[in-house]
Coordinates of all heavy atoms in Angstrom, one line a residue:
M1 N 0.8 -1.2 0.0 CA 0.0 0.0 0.0 C 0.9 1.3 0.0 O 0.5 2.3 -0.6 CB -0.9 -0.1 1.3 CG -2.0 0.9 1.2 SD -3.2 0.3 -0.1 CE -4.2 1.7 -0.2
G2 N 2.0 1.2 0.6 CA 2.9 2.3 0.7 C 3.4 2.9 -0.6 O 3.3 4.0 -0.9
P3 N 3.9 2.0 -1.5 CA 4.3 2.4 -2.8 C 3.2 3.0 -3.6 O 3.3 4.0 -4.3 CB 4.8 1.2 -3.5 CG 5.1 0.2 -2.4 CD 4.2 0.5 -1.3
V4 N 2.0 2.5 -3.6 CA 0.8 3.0 -4.2 C 0.5 4.5 -3.8 O 0.3 5.4 -4.6 CB -0.5 2.2 -4.1 CG1 -1.6 2.8 -4.8 CG2 -0.1 0.8 -4.8
V5 N 0.4 4.7 -2.5 CA 0.2 6.0 -1.9 C 1.3 7.0 -2.3 O 1.0 8.1 -2.7 CB 0.0 5.9 -0.4 CG1 0.0 7.3 0.2 CG2 -1.2 5.1 0.0
S6 N 2.5 6.5 -2.2 CA 3.6 7.4 -2.6 C 3.6 7.8 -4.1 O 3.8 8.9 -4.4 CB 4.9 6.6 -2.3 OG 6.0 7.5 -2.6
L7 N 3.3 6.8 -4.9 CA 3.1 7.1 -6.4 C 2.0 8.1 -6.7 O 2.2 8.9 -7.5 CB 3.0 5.8 -7.1 CG 3.1 5.9 -8.6 CD1 4.5 6.5 -9.0 CD2 2.9 4.5 -9.3
V8 N 0.8 7.9 -6.0 CA -0.3 8.8 -6.2 C 0.1 10.2 -5.8 O -0.3 11.2 -6.4 CB -1.6 8.2 -5.5 CG1 -2.7 9.3 -5.5 CG2 -2.1 6.9 -6.3
L9 N 0.6 10.3 -4.5 CA 1.0 11.6 -4.1 C 2.0 12.3 -5.0 O 2.0 13.5 -5.2 CB 1.6 11.5 -2.7 CG 0.6 11.2 -1.6 CD1 1.3 11.0 -0.2 CD2 -0.4 12.4 -1.5
A10 N 3.0 11.5 -5.5 CA 4.0 12.1 -6.5 C 3.3 12.6 -7.7 O 3.7 13.5 -8.4 CB 5.1 11.0 -6.8
W11 N 2.2 11.9 -8.2 CA 1.5 12.3 -9.3 C 0.6 13.5 -9.1 O 0.5 14.4 -10.0 CB 0.7 11.1 -9.9 CG 0.0 11.3 -11.1 CD1 0.4 11.7 -12.3 CD2 -1.5 11.3 -11.3 NE1 -0.5 11.8 -13.3 CE2 -1.7 11.5 -12.7 CE3 -2.5 11.0 -10.5 CZ2 -3.0 11.6 -13.2 CZ3 -3.8 11.0 -11.0 CH2 -4.0 11.2 -12.3
L12 N 0.0 13.6 -7.9 CA -0.9 14.7 -7.6 C -0.1 16.0 -7.2 O -0.7 17.1 -7.6 CB -1.8 14.3 -6.5 CG -2.8 13.2 -6.8 CD1 -3.7 12.9 -5.6 CD2 -3.8 13.7 -8.0
V13 N 1.0 15.9 -6.6 CA 1.7 17.2 -6.2 C 2.4 17.8 -7.4 O 3.1 17.1 -8.0 CB 2.7 16.8 -5.0 CG1 3.5 18.0 -4.7 CG2 1.9 16.3 -3.8
P14 N 2.1 19.1 -7.6 CA 2.8 19.7 -8.7 C 4.3 19.8 -8.5 O 4.8 19.9 -7.4 CB 2.1 21.1 -8.8 CG 1.6 21.3 -7.4 CD 1.3 20.0 -6.8
G15 N 5.0 19.7 -9.5 CA 6.5 19.9 -9.5 C 7.1 18.9 -10.5 O 6.4 18.2 -11.2
D16 N 8.4 19.1 -10.6 CA 9.1 18.3 -11.6 C 10.1 17.3 -11.0 O 11.1 17.0 -11.6 CB 9.9 19.3 -12.6 CG 10.4 18.6 -13.8 OD1 9.7 17.6 -14.2 OD2 11.3 19.0 -14.4
A17 N 9.8 17.0 -9.8 CA 10.7 16.0 -9.1 C 10.6 14.6 -9.6 O 9.4 14.2 -9.8 CB 10.5 16.0 -7.6
R18 N 11.7 14.0 -10.0 CA 11.6 12.6 -10.6 C 11.9 11.6 -9.6 O 11.6 10.4 -9.9 CB 12.5 12.5 -11.8 CG 12.2 13.4 -12.9 CD 13.2 13.2 -14.0 NE 12.9 14.1 -15.1 CZ 13.5 14.1 -16.2 NH1 14.4 13.3 -16.5 NH2 13.2 15.0 -17.2
W19 N 12.4 11.9 -8.4 CA 12.8 10.9 -7.4 C 11.6 10.3 -6.8 O 11.6 9.1 -6.4 CB 13.9 11.3 -6.5 CG 13.4 12.4 -5.6 CD1 13.5 13.8 -5.7 CD2 12.8 12.3 -4.3 NE1 13.0 14.5 -4.8 CE2 12.5 13.6 -3.8 CE3 12.4 11.2 -3.5 CZ2 12.0 13.8 -2.5 CZ3 11.8 11.4 -2.3 CH2 11.6 12.7 -1.8
P20 N 10.5 11.0 -6.4 CA 9.4 10.3 -5.7 C 8.8 9.1 -6.5 O 8.6 8.0 -5.9 CB 8.4 11.3 -5.4 CG 9.1 12.6 -5.4 CD 10.3 12.4 -6.4
P21 N 8.5 9.3 -7.8 CA 8.0 8.1 -8.5 C 9.0 7.0 -8.6 O 8.6 5.8 -8.6 CB 7.6 8.6 -9.9 CG 7.7 10.0 -9.8 CD 8.4 10.5 -8.6
F22 N 10.2 7.4 -8.7 CA 11.3 6.3 -8.8 C 11.4 5.6 -7.5 O 11.5 4.3 -7.5 CB 12.7 7.0 -9.2 CG 13.8 6.1 -9.1 CD1 14.0 5.2 -10.1 CD2 14.7 6.0 -8.0 CE1 15.1 4.3 -10.1 CE2 15.7 5.1 -8.0 CZ 16.0 4.3 -9.1
V23 N 11.3 6.2 -6.4 CA 11.4 5.6 -5.1 C 10.2 4.6 -4.9 O 10.3 3.5 -4.5 CB 11.4 6.5 -3.9 CG1 11.2 5.9 -2.6 CG2 12.8 7.3 -4.0
A24 N 9.0 5.1 -5.3 CA 7.8 4.3 -5.2 C 7.9 3.1 -6.1 O 7.5 2.0 -5.7 CB 6.6 5.1 -5.7
V25 N 8.3 3.2 -7.3 CA 8.4 2.0 -8.2 C 9.5 1.0 -7.7 O 9.3 -0.2 -7.8 CB 8.7 2.4 -9.7 CG1 9.1 1.3 -10.6 CG2 7.5 3.2 -10.2
T26 N 10.6 1.5 -7.2 CA 11.7 0.7 -6.7 C 11.2 0.0 -5.4 O 11.4 -1.2 -5.3 CB 12.9 1.6 -6.3 OG1 13.3 2.2 -7.5 CG2 14.0 0.8 -5.8
W27 N 10.5 0.6 -4.6 CA 9.9 0.0 -3.4 C 8.9 -1.1 -3.7 O 9.0 -2.2 -3.2 CB 9.2 1.0 -2.6 CG 8.6 0.7 -1.3 CD1 8.8 -0.5 -0.6 CD2 7.9 1.5 -0.4 NE1 8.1 -0.5 0.6 CE2 7.5 0.7 0.8 CE3 7.4 2.8 -0.5 CZ2 6.8 1.2 1.8 CZ3 6.7 3.3 0.6 CH2 6.4 2.5 1.7
A28 N 8.0 -0.9 -4.8 CA 7.1 -1.9 -5.2 C 7.8 -3.1 -5.8 O 7.5 -4.2 -5.6 CB 6.1 -1.3 -6.2
F29 N 8.9 -2.8 -6.6 CA 9.6 -3.9 -7.3 C 10.4 -4.8 -6.3 O 10.4 -6.0 -6.3 CB 10.6 -3.3 -8.2 CG 11.5 -4.4 -9.0 CD1 11.0 -5.1 -10.0 CD2 12.8 -4.6 -8.5 CE1 11.7 -6.1 -10.5 CE2 13.6 -5.5 -9.2 CZ 13.0 -6.3 -10.2
H30 N 10.9 -4.1 -5.2 CA 11.7 -4.8 -4.2 C 10.7 -5.7 -3.5 O 11.0 -6.9 -3.1 CB 12.3 -3.8 -3.2 CG 13.1 -4.4 -2.1 ND1 14.2 -5.1 -2.3 CD2 12.7 -4.5 -0.8 CE1 14.6 -5.6 -1.1 NE2 13.7 -5.1 -0.2
S31 N 9.6 -5.3 -3.1 CA 8.5 -6.0 -2.4 C 8.1 -7.2 -3.2 O 7.9 -8.4 -2.7 CB 7.3 -5.2 -2.0 OG 7.7 -4.2 -1.1
A32 N 7.9 -7.0 -4.5 CA 7.4 -8.0 -5.4 C 8.5 -9.1 -5.6 O 8.1 -10.4 -5.6 CB 7.1 -7.5 -6.8
V33 N 9.7 -8.7 -5.6 CA 10.8 -9.7 -5.8 C 11.0 -10.6 -4.5 O 11.2 -11.8 -4.6 CB 12.2 -9.1 -6.2 CG1 13.2 -10.1 -6.1 CG2 12.0 -8.5 -7.6
D34 N 10.9 -9.9 -3.4 CA 10.9 -10.6 -2.1 C 9.8 -11.7 -2.0 O 10.0 -12.8 -1.6 CB 10.7 -9.7 -0.9 CG 12.0 -9.0 -0.5 OD1 13.0 -9.4 -1.1 OD2 12.0 -8.1 0.4
R35 N 8.6 -11.3 -2.4 CA 7.4 -12.3 -2.4 C 7.7 -13.4 -3.5 O 7.5 -14.5 -3.2 CB 6.1 -11.6 -2.8 CG 5.6 -10.7 -1.7 CD 5.1 -11.6 -0.6 NE 4.5 -10.7 0.4 CZ 3.2 -10.5 0.6 NH1 2.4 -11.0 -0.2 NH2 2.7 -9.8 1.5
L36 N 8.3 -13.1 -4.7 CA 8.5 -14.0 -5.7 C 9.5 -15.1 -5.2 O 9.4 -16.3 -5.5 CB 9.1 -13.4 -7.0 CG 9.4 -14.2 -8.1 CD1 8.1 -14.8 -8.7 CD2 10.2 -13.5 -9.2
L37 N 10.6 -14.6 -4.5 CA 11.6 -15.6 -4.0 C 11.1 -16.2 -2.7 O 11.9 -17.1 -2.1 CB 12.9 -14.8 -3.7 CG 13.5 -14.2 -5.0 CD1 14.7 -13.4 -4.6 CD2 13.8 -15.3 -6.0
G38 N 10.0 -16.0 -2.1 CA 9.5 -16.6 -1.0 C 9.8 -16.0 0.3 O 9.6 -16.6 1.4
Y39 N 10.3 -14.8 0.3 CA 10.6 -14.1 1.6 C 9.5 -13.2 1.8 O 8.9 -12.5 1.0 CB 11.9 -13.2 1.4 CG 13.2 -14.0 1.1 CD1 13.8 -14.0 -0.1 CD2 13.8 -14.7 2.1 CE1 14.9 -14.7 -0.4 CE2 14.9 -15.4 1.9 CZ 15.5 -15.5 0.6 OH 16.6 -16.1 0.4
G40 N 9.1 -13.1 3.2 CA 7.9 -12.4 3.6 C 8.4 -11.3 4.6 O 9.5 -11.0 4.8
L41 N 7.4 -10.8 5.2 CA 7.6 -9.8 6.3 C 8.2 -10.5 7.4 O 7.7 -11.6 7.9 CB 6.3 -9.2 6.7 CG 5.5 -8.4 5.6 CD1 4.1 -8.0 6.1 CD2 6.3 -7.3 5.2
K42 N 9.3 -10.0 8.0 CA 10.1 -10.7 9.1 C 9.5 -10.4 10.4 O 9.0 -9.3 10.7 CB 11.5 -10.2 9.1 CG 12.2 -10.3 7.7 CD 12.4 -11.7 7.3 CE 13.2 -11.8 6.0 NZ 12.6 -11.5 4.8
F43 N 9.5 -11.4 11.3 CA 9.1 -11.3 12.7 C 10.4 -10.9 13.5 O 11.4 -11.2 13.0 CB 8.4 -12.5 13.2 CG 7.0 -12.7 12.6 CD1 6.8 -13.8 11.8 CD2 6.0 -11.8 13.0 CE1 5.5 -14.0 11.2 CE2 4.8 -12.1 12.4 CZ 4.5 -13.1 11.6
T44 N 10.2 -10.4 14.6 CA 11.3 -9.9 15.4 C 12.1 -11.0 16.1 O 13.2 -10.9 16.5 CB 10.9 -8.9 16.5 OG1 9.9 -9.4 17.3 CG2 10.3 -7.6 15.8
D45 N 11.5 -12.2 16.3 CA 12.1 -13.3 16.9 C 13.3 -13.9 16.1 O 14.2 -14.4 16.7 CB 11.2 -14.4 17.4 CG 10.4 -15.0 16.3 OD1 10.3 -14.4 15.2 OD2 9.9 -16.2 16.5
S46 N 13.2 -14.0 14.8 CA 14.1 -14.6 14.0 C 14.1 -14.1 12.6 O 13.0 -13.8 12.1 CB 13.9 -16.1 14.0 OG 14.7 -16.8 13.0
F47 N 15.2 -14.0 11.9 CA 15.2 -13.7 10.4 C 14.5 -14.6 9.6 O 13.8 -14.2 8.6 CB 16.6 -13.5 10.0 CG 16.7 -13.0 8.6 CD1 16.4 -11.7 8.2 CD2 17.0 -13.9 7.5 CE1 16.5 -11.2 6.9 CE2 17.0 -13.5 6.2 CZ 16.8 -12.2 5.9
A48 N 14.5 -15.9 10.0 CA 13.9 -16.9 9.2 C 12.5 -17.0 9.4 O 11.8 -17.7 8.6 CB 14.6 -18.3 9.5
H49 N 11.9 -16.4 10.4 CA 10.5 -16.5 10.7 C 9.7 -15.4 10.0 O 9.9 -14.2 10.3 CB 10.3 -16.4 12.2 CG 8.9 -16.6 12.6 ND1 8.4 -16.2 13.9 CD2 7.8 -17.2 12.0 CE1 7.2 -16.5 14.0 NE2 6.8 -17.2 12.9
T50 N 9.0 -15.7 8.9 CA 8.3 -14.7 8.2 C 6.8 -15.0 8.1 O 6.4 -16.0 8.5 CB 8.8 -14.7 6.7 OG1 8.3 -15.8 6.0 CG2 10.3 -14.6 6.6
H51 N 6.0 -14.1 7.7 CA 4.6 -14.3 7.6 C 4.2 -15.4 6.6 O 3.1 -15.9 6.6 CB 3.9 -13.0 7.3 CG 3.8 -12.6 5.9 ND1 4.9 -12.1 5.2 CD2 2.8 -12.6 5.0 CE1 4.6 -11.9 4.0 NE2 3.3 -12.2 3.8
L52 N 5.1 -15.8 5.7 CA 4.9 -16.9 4.7 C 5.3 -18.2 5.2 O 5.2 -19.2 4.6 CB 5.6 -16.5 3.4 CG 5.2 -15.3 2.7 CD1 6.1 -14.9 1.5 CD2 3.8 -15.3 2.3
G53 N 5.9 -18.2 6.5 CA 6.5 -19.5 7.0 C 7.9 -19.4 7.3 O 8.6 -18.3 7.2
E54 N 8.6 -20.5 7.6 CA 10.0 -20.5 7.9 C 10.8 -20.6 6.6 O 10.3 -21.3 5.6 CB 10.4 -21.7 8.7 CG 9.8 -21.7 10.2 CD 10.5 -20.6 11.0 OE1 11.7 -20.3 10.9 OE2 9.7 -20.1 11.8
I55 N 11.9 -19.8 6.4 CA 12.7 -19.8 5.3 C 14.1 -20.4 5.6 O 14.5 -20.4 6.8 CB 12.9 -18.5 4.7 CG1 13.5 -17.5 5.6 CG2 11.5 -17.9 4.1 CD1 13.8 -16.1 5.0
G56 N 14.8 -20.9 4.6 CA 16.1 -21.4 4.8 C 16.2 -22.9 5.2 O 15.1 -23.5 5.3
K57 N 17.3 -23.4 5.4 CA 17.5 -24.8 5.8 C 17.3 -25.0 7.3 O 17.5 -24.1 8.2 CB 19.0 -25.2 5.5 CG 19.3 -25.2 4.0 CD 20.7 -25.7 3.8 CE 21.0 -25.6 2.3 NZ 22.3 -26.0 2.0
K58 N 16.7 -26.1 7.6 CA 16.4 -26.4 9.0 C 17.7 -26.9 9.6 O 18.5 -27.6 9.1 CB 15.4 -27.6 9.1 CG 14.1 -27.3 8.5 CD 13.4 -26.2 9.3 CE 12.0 -26.0 8.6 NZ 11.3 -24.9 9.1
P59 N 18.0 -26.5 10.9 CA 19.2 -27.0 11.6 C 19.2 -28.4 11.9 O 18.2 -29.0 12.1 CB 19.3 -26.1 12.8 CG 17.9 -25.5 13.0 CD 17.2 -25.6 11.7

C-alpha cells in the first residue's frame, strides 16, 4: 500500500521532481521480488520467521 500511496502523491503534487515516483516503483519492485523468492515480512524473533512461514535450511 505504501508504494501506491507514494506514487499517487507524487502524481498529484505539482512539480518536476523525478525521485518520488522512482522511489515508489523501486519499493514496489523490491517487495514483489521478495514475495517471488519466498521471503515475507520478518518477525522480530528470527530472520527466518516470516509471515509466509520458515525460510532457509532447518538446523
Side-chain angles (χ1 to χ4, degrees):
M1 197 66 194
V4 173
V5 171
S6 180
L7 192 58
V8 168
L9 286 175
W11 184 58
L12 292 176
V13 173
D16 194 26
R18 294 183 183 184
W19 66 267
F22 176 74
V23 170
V25 170
T26 303
W27 185 4
F29 178 76
H30 178 72
S31 298
V33 170
D34 278 355
R35 289 288 182 100
L36 180 71
L37 296 176
Y39 297 105
L41 300 172
K42 308 296 186 282
F43 290 110
T44 57
D45 61 338
S46 169
F47 179 80
H49 187 199
T50 72
H51 81 289
L52 298 173
E54 293 291 324
I55 58 173
K57 296 181 181 179
K58 302 288 182 193

